[in-house]
Amino acid sequence: AQTVTQSQPEMSVQEAETVTLSCTYDTSESNYYLFWYKQPPSRQMILVIRQEAYKQQNATENRFSVNFQKAAKSFSLKISDSQLGDTAMYFCAFMKQGNKLVFGAGTILRVKS
Amino acid sequence: EADIYQTPRYLVIGTGKKITLECSQTMGHDKMYWYQQDPGMELHLIHYSYGVNSTEKGDLSSESTVSRIRTEHFPLTLESARPSHTSQYLCASSEYGATQYFGPGTRLLVL
């Protein structure tokens, strides 16, 4: 069975600094998708970034980028120039066969001014 | 921003009541999903649908039921609510092999 592990329950970062959130996963599939979702306090879950496993190039979306290491089954999220609005719970997710998502336990990120 | 809606946003109800949580999307997505999320915890898939008249149970066992009579509508029903059903319920939709877009969620409290 596929599993997703986020080993950091909570992280803090100063405004304008860079932070990296860790995620590892376990699967026997060769083609899959990986996601980072953001859930601000009492607000809607939104997509941060997505990575297709067959692509070697790491995905980037503005201040958000990933370090995808397929052999190590690692998928970390780097947030550059952190902003107060980045404060949220971040979930790493693996899309398994059938278009179903398996989520990690989440990392609470607090951006401090 | 994805167009997926859930009502009610908050619901407090007594034990034994029947409830229906509504979810609708205007994107024409074939696939829809229901997740259950306890506060500060990960999401667990409880139901999904690949199209009209198609429904399947997810990875987490749930006493709720779902129906998919129209593409845009995927309601979830609890015939007899219990305190153990207290949780947040999130609806999502997607096209095949694509990103899932989430609704705002319904926070359910069963007294």
Side-chain angles (χ1 to χ4, degrees):
Chain A
Q2 290 88 352
T3 58
V4 177
T5 303
Q6 294 180 248
S7 58
Q8 306 150 314
E10 295 187 28
M11 295 278 285
S12 293
V13 63
Q14 287 295 130
E15 207 174 359
E17 297 292 308
T18 295
V19 64
T20 298
L21 308 184
S22 302
C23 173
T24 58
Y25 60 94
D26 187 26
T27 183
S28 57
E29 296 179 16
S30 56
N31 291 322
Y32 49 87
Y33 298 90
L34 292 161
F35 302 84
W36 279 98
Y37 280 92
K38 168 185 176 180
Q39 189 177 39
S42 301
R43 290 180 60 189
Q44 198 156 340
M45 179 93 78
I46 59 174
L47 176 71
V48 175
I49 199 163
R50 155 188 162 127
Q51 174 81 43
E52 291 88 347
Y54 65 87
K55 288 186 178 179
Q56 292 188 344
Q57 187 172 8
N58 289 324
T60 299
E61 284 288 339
N62 300 314
R63 297 182 296 108
F64 299 89
S65 61
V66 298
N67 184 4
F68 174 48
Q69 303 287 331
K70 190 173 183 179
K73 295 180 183 175
S74 172
F75 183 60
S76 61
L77 175 69
K78 185 171 83 171
I79 306 174
S80 304
D81 186 24
S82 297
Q83 300 175 0
L84 295 176
D86 295 334
T87 292
M89 177 84 109
Y90 286 80
F91 290 98
C92 178
F94 170 94
M95 180 174 283
K96 63 180 182 178
Q97 204 167 28
N99 226 59
K100 292 177 276 186
L101 287 175
V102 176
F103 284 86
T107 297
I108 297 172
L109 176 67
R110 294 188 176 88
V111 180
K112 300 179 178 179
S113 58
Chain B
E1 194 81 13
D3 296 322
I4 180 163
Y5 309 98
Q6 291 186 244
T7 58
R9 293 291 309 279
Y10 304 92
L11 180 60
V12 181
I13 202 161
T15 297
K17 299 293 185 182
K18 178 180 178 178
I19 60 171
T20 297
L21 308 185
E22 301 288 351
C23 175
S24 61
Q25 49 96 5
T26 59
M27 297 168 285
H29 289 166
D30 285 332
K31 293 171 178 50
M32 296 188 75
Y33 315 82
W34 276 103
Y35 292 88
Q36 184 173 342
Q37 182 187 27
D38 289 332
M41 304 292 285
E42 67 263 50
L43 285 73
H44 293 284
L45 181 68
I46 53 174
H47 297 284
Y48 61 99
S49 167
Y50 288 157
V52 171
N53 295 325
S54 153
T55 61
E56 301 286 345
K57 290 191 177 295
D59 302 323
L60 180 68
S61 177
S62 173
E63 294 171 341
S64 59
T65 59
V66 292
S67 63
R68 190 88 183 277
I69 298 172
R70 303 197 315 265
T71 297
E72 64 272 21
H73 195 215
F74 191 40
L76 179 146
T77 298
L78 276 166
E79 290 292 334
S80 179
R82 294 207 300 267
S84 62
H85 296 139
T86 293
S87 191
Q88 177 166 238
Y89 294 85
L90 294 168
C91 181
S93 73
S94 74
E95 295 176 327
Y96 183 78
T99 301
Q100 290 186 18
Y101 295 97
F102 285 82
T106 294
R107 291 181 185 270
L108 173 64
L109 173 61
V110 183
L111 302 175

